[in-house]
Amino acid sequence: MSGCENHWNKAMQMHGFKNEPSKFGAFKGVSAGRRTWSFRRHVKNIGFVFLWMGFFIIFDEFMVSVFDAVNLPQCFKTSQIKLAKDRNASGEVEKPAVKMYDRLLHMASTALTEKEFKQESSSFWEKPQRQASLWKPCADKKVPTGSGKLGNSRGDNGYILVSANGGLNQQRVAICNAVAVASLLNATLILPRFLYSNVWKDPSQFGHIYQEKYFIKTLEGDVNIVKELPPHLRSLDFEAIGSQITDADIAKEAKPVDYISGVLPILKRNGIVHFLGFGNRLGFDPVPFNLQRLRCKCNFHALKFIPKIQRAGSLLVKRIRKYDASQNILDKQLLGNFLPAPPLGRHDIAKGRSKYLALHLRFEEDMVAYSRCEFGGGKDERKELQAYREVHFPLLMERLKKTKYVSPAELRKLGRCPLTPEEAALVLAGLGFKRDTFIYLAGSDIYGGMSRMRPLTGLYPNLVTKETLLTPSELSPFRNFSSQLAALDFIVCATADVFAMTDSGSQLSSLVSGFRTYYGGEHAPTLRPGKKRLAAILSGNATIRWKTFEYKVKKLIEEGQMAQVRRFGRSIYRQPRCPECMCRSPSLSQFMPARNSFNSFSSSRQEICTWQKGQGKKHVSAELLRIRAQENNFNDLSSYSLATFGPFGC
């Protein structure tokens, strides 16, 4: 009942009570008057009770609002995500919600409502595989003498300068690849520079994101690093003297032998080499053991965010959890000296929201357009995305003219379509995450805006971003610096109780999941829905039962959470669970042949098969061969160049 209606009803009641005694006196006499007086007394008592009840309700709401205001700043307004109004910032009327799976959404909403009255929580808050705890971080340990002789820390052959392109995460990979290449070529590395991009529009350099002195000190003894070029090299035209090497000059994921044969002569001749771009220009296998470990040391130990970023990251984590939760190794690594104060006791943790899930949605307009998929937006959506492709992806348009047409429906079946916010919500609901789960949303602007977000916020209203958690004054130092904003997302995603990615090919998702694998052990679960299998599950939207949907989604995610050792050729930044980066428990050693079981990289197939039969194995994996090969020293470049192998049977 509205305030106006309540006031009107009270006025009518009072008017009635004033006139009733005179009416009863005229027609019924004294007896009627007594009944009237008794009735009025009871009405007053009832009104008094309701008045007290109303007072307690108002007081309770007031106290809740006070406590919320104390623990979260006014900027924490989920209403910004929840669609408090039907108009956007420019005043335009918001588009209606775009949905592809109405029936599944309805079943998900019903299931979440039922779960509100149950105590059990999703099993996916914890990683179920015990094997994950058998691997421990150790990339910062010194490599034993003889564990790969390629690489040097003196820097005698000249200087390497890298100007890295891309955003924060692409640059991070380029930095650590540059460290490995500098060691490989026995060169001195100049502190990497970042190219200005018209896409990212961020002028940030190394020192605006990472701690320079800490970086140089941590890698001291592994590679020689200086902040600036020596004066006699600063005026050189690198391109004119043939020292500038672009991405067109060196193959993607090049091998160390390519640098030895193609780059080292230039370095020795001119004293300097300038890598321009340097995007993914060093492969992951075959690479000497000590250089792989150096890459891991760089990524997981040497690159620390500057205090300004750590401080803001600490605020974000603290405000999502509402109360300071227990600290873990991920918090310590990423937040440094800005760790939130530990809780006083268990009671403090219990009364607050100490858990949150970080979700990285890759549904920006450029990615959506490039995919060539359809997302339920009809004719207007198709026209809009086609126009975007023609303007921003002319090379793609030319290539499409020369290739066979693949329909959007077929692309979806192949798992080539980015997941929508609606699909992400259905996956979370299928995994049993409750409606009150706090979700931190990382990433850029979502294509379609709130019309796309409504299915997600409808199921999970407690959705927050860095923009809603930080005050304008706290966020202002990072505005117009996309890489620094991405660093905040990196921190909050890496320290989350659960991290959910929608695109395993994303650099942010890859690096965050690798960081969680390295430091989180079994207590940092990551959710990776395979898009191809998920598309097959969602195709049954019209007929599938909710229990069946839950079962299939849980099985899909559980298989993606298996604690697997890094496979040959896979990113060491994303999958650091391997001897080069992490130390395995002795209990795993029984599955590996003894050191020097193979005499060298050129061990014949017959020798390997002989060992295999002695172990009673029917198949030798590339992973096993890689580990055994790396445990046998890289004696010289010729033996190293033979280290290419794959799985085979005997």
Side-chain angles (χ1 to χ4, degrees):
M1 183 182 293
S2 69
C4 293
E5 290 172 334
N6 190 42
H7 177 75
W8 183 83
N9 286 337
K10 287 181 179 178
M12 290 299 294
Q13 290 171 6
M14 291 175 65
H15 179 72
F17 295 154
K18 287 178 181 177
N19 288 318
E20 275 177 1
S22 61
K23 283 193 265 182
F24 280 98
F27 296 102
K28 300 293 182 179
V30 176
S31 178
R34 287 176 180 173
R35 288 196 301 270
T36 303
W37 178 83
S38 177
F39 176 73
R40 290 174 62 189
R41 186 179 63 180
H42 285 301
V43 169
K44 286 182 179 179
N45 289 338
I46 292 171
F48 183 74
V49 171
F50 275 104
L51 181 64
W52 272 104
M53 288 176 64
F55 171 76
F56 280 117
I57 291 172
I58 294 171
F59 181 75
D60 181 68
E61 291 293 331
F62 171 74
M63 293 305 295
V64 169
S65 65
V66 167
F67 281 113
D68 278 345
V70 169
N71 289 287
L72 290 178
Q74 277 191 327
C75 62
F76 190 163
K77 299 174 183 174
T78 52
S79 59
Q80 293 183 17
I81 303 290
K82 285 185 183 180
L83 307 172
K85 298 181 180 179
D86 290 330
R87 294 181 178 274
N88 57 25
S90 61
E92 299 173 348
V93 177
E94 288 282 359
K95 297 177 182 178
V98 180
K99 299 178 183 178
M100 299 171 66
Y101 310 98
D102 280 298
R103 180 175 172 273
L104 271 175
L105 279 175
H106 176 73
M107 291 192 293
S109 182
T110 302
L112 291 180
T113 301
E114 292 173 355
K115 280 184 171 61
E116 289 178 15
F117 303 100
K118 297 179 181 179
Q119 292 297 320
E120 69 268 15
S121 60
S122 172
S123 61
F124 288 88
W125 283 111
E126 286 290 334
K127 201 167 189 174
Q129 281 74 29
R130 179 181 170 273
Q131 292 88 342
S133 64
L134 299 177
W135 292 85
K136 305 296 182 184
C138 64
D140 56 335
K141 294 183 179 179
K142 289 290 184 182
V143 178
T145 304
S147 294
K149 296 183 180 179
L150 288 179
N152 201 304
S153 62
R154 295 193 308 271
D156 298 338
N157 287 334
Y159 293 87
I160 286 180
L161 174 63
V162 171
S163 297
N165 58 13
L168 173 80
N169 302 292
Q170 292 90 336
Q171 291 165 352
R172 189 181 184 102
V173 171
I175 291 167
C176 295
N177 286 347
V179 166
V181 169
S183 177
L184 173 70
L185 302 181
N186 187 18
T188 295
L189 178 67
I190 308 299
L191 209 61
R193 300 174 182 176
F194 301 150
L195 294 173
Y196 181 83
S197 167
N198 289 325
V199 176
W200 302 103
K201 302 185 187 306
D202 186 352
S204 297
Q205 290 300 317
F206 191 100
H208 298 128
I209 300 171
Y210 302 109
Q211 299 178 34
E212 295 178 343
K213 290 182 180 179
Y214 186 89
F215 177 74
I216 295 171
K217 179 70 175 175
T218 302
L219 296 175
E220 191 176 32
D222 296 301
V223 61
N224 191 37
I225 304 174
V226 296
K227 292 183 68 172
E228 300 286 346
L229 276 169
H232 70 280
L233 293 176
R234 293 175 189 172
S235 60
L236 289 179
D237 184 335
F238 301 134
E239 187 175 8
I241 64 173
S243 280
Q244 182 162 290
I245 299 177
T246 67
D247 285 354
D249 300 320
I250 192 163
K252 188 176 182 180
E253 297 189 357
K255 295 178 175 61
V257 288
D258 299 325
Y259 286 92
I260 296 289
S261 60
V263 178
L264 185 59
I266 300 174
L267 180 66
K268 286 187 170 182
R269 182 176 66 247
N270 297 330
I272 186 169
V273 166
H274 179 208
F275 290 104
L276 188 62
F278 207 59
N280 294 320
R281 282 319 186 258
L282 179 61
F284 293 103
D285 288 296
V287 172
F289 185 98
N290 66 323
L291 292 187
Q292 287 285 47
R293 175 158 287 194
L294 185 55
R295 291 164 106 178
C296 290
K297 184 177 181 179
C298 169
N299 184 50
F300 298 114
H301 294 274
L303 290 174
K304 296 280 189 186
F305 293 121
I306 59 173
K308 168 183 141 180
I309 293 174
Q310 289 180 331
R311 185 186 301 110
S314 179
L315 280 176
L316 286 168
V317 173
K318 182 178 179 180
R319 286 172 182 170
I320 300 173
R321 289 176 176 159
K322 196 169 185 180
Y323 291 89
D324 299 330
S326 56
Q327 300 167 2
N328 56 49
I329 191 169
L330 279 165
D331 295 330
K332 294 173 183 176
Q333 287 296 324
L334 289 164
L335 301 178
N337 296 326
F338 297 95
L339 279 170
L344 297 176
R346 289 184 175 274
H347 176 68
D348 295 318
I349 298 175
K351 70 181 181 180
R353 293 183 290 263
S354 61
K355 288 185 177 181
Y356 73 94
L357 180 149
L359 172 63
H360 185 215
L361 275 177
R362 290 302 314 277
F363 202 69
E364 299 90 351
E365 187 172 15
D366 58 344
M367 187 171 185
V368 170
Y370 195 86
S371 72
R372 297 177 287 127
C373 298
E374 292 183 359
F375 302 92
K379 183 179 178 181
D380 290 342
E381 177 192 276
R382 288 193 292 271
K383 281 182 63 178
E384 185 176 35
L385 294 179
Q386 178 65 15
Y388 189 94
R389 280 190 288 269
E390 290 174 354
V391 173
H392 297 277
F393 303 124
L395 294 179
L396 171 65
M397 299 305 295
E398 287 298 319
R399 189 169 73 247
L400 291 176
K401 293 176 183 177
K402 303 173 184 177
T403 56
K404 183 181 178 181
Y405 173 74
V406 182
S407 70
E410 186 63 25
L411 289 171
R412 185 167 295 279
K413 286 182 182 179
L414 294 171
R416 296 181 184 175
C417 300
L419 298 191
T420 66
E422 178 186 15
E423 290 168 331
L426 288 171
V427 170
L428 295 179
L431 296 176
F433 289 100
K434 292 187 174 182
R435 192 186 296 274
D436 63 355
T437 300
F438 265 72
I439 298 177
Y440 177 85
L441 182 64
S444 303
D445 294 333
I446 301 300
Y447 171 69
M450 298 312 295
S451 65
R452 284 285 177 188
M453 290 298 293
R454 276 190 181 93
L456 176 56
T457 56
L459 293 183
Y460 294 98
N462 293 327
L463 198 67
V464 296
T465 65
K466 52 185 173 291
E467 289 79 13
T468 60
L469 287 168
L470 297 178
T471 64
S473 61
E474 290 167 341
L475 196 61
S476 62
F478 302 96
R479 295 205 180 276
N480 302 320
F481 299 102
S482 61
S483 291
Q484 296 180 42
L485 289 170
L488 297 181
D489 278 340
F490 187 101
I491 289 174
V492 183
C493 288
T495 58
D497 298 279
V498 175
F499 174 57
M501 63 173 76
T502 60
D503 180 26
S504 58
S506 157
Q507 283 278 25
L508 173 65
S509 292
S510 295
L511 291 174
V512 165
S513 64
F515 221 85
R516 292 169 65 81
T517 296
Y518 189 78
Y519 284 115
E522 61 183 332
H523 301 295
T526 297
L527 312 180
R528 301 180 182 89
K531 290 187 289 185
K532 184 175 181 179
R533 286 182 59 188
L534 181 60
I537 296 171
L538 291 170
S539 65
N541 173 49
T543 57
I544 193 170
R545 296 170 57 195
W546 181 251
K547 290 293 183 184
T548 304
F549 178 80
E550 281 184 315
Y551 170 77
K552 290 186 175 183
V553 168
K554 287 177 181 177
K555 187 177 179 182
L556 170 67
I557 298 300
E558 284 170 353
E559 290 177 1
Q561 285 187 321
M562 296 296 290
Q564 297 178 344
V565 176
R566 183 181 77 93
R567 287 180 286 174
F568 184 86
R570 295 300 180 92
S571 169
I572 207 158
Y573 306 120
R574 178 182 174 182
Q575 298 178 356
R577 198 178 283 120
C578 59
E580 303 95 312
C581 284
M582 304 181 73
C583 295
R584 62 185 183 271
S585 167
S587 62
L588 291 182
S589 300
Q590 59 183 307
F591 300 108
M592 298 294 179
R595 184 175 176 83
N596 296 325
S597 294
F598 309 140
N599 294 326
S600 67
F601 277 129
S602 57
S603 296
S604 68
R605 173 174 175 150
Q606 185 59 44
E607 289 175 310
I608 295 173
C609 289
T610 300
W611 170 84
Q612 171 195 332
K613 290 175 182 177
Q615 298 292 318
K617 298 181 181 293
K618 296 181 179 179
H619 189 82
V620 176
S621 68
E623 171 58 28
L624 179 60
L625 288 174
R626 180 178 63 81
I627 292 173
R628 299 314 318 143
Q630 287 173 335
E631 289 182 352
N632 290 273
N633 303 337
F634 291 84
N635 296 319
D636 54 51
L637 192 59
S638 60
S639 65
Y640 167 70
S641 65
L642 295 173
T644 55
F645 42 78
F648 61 87
C650 295

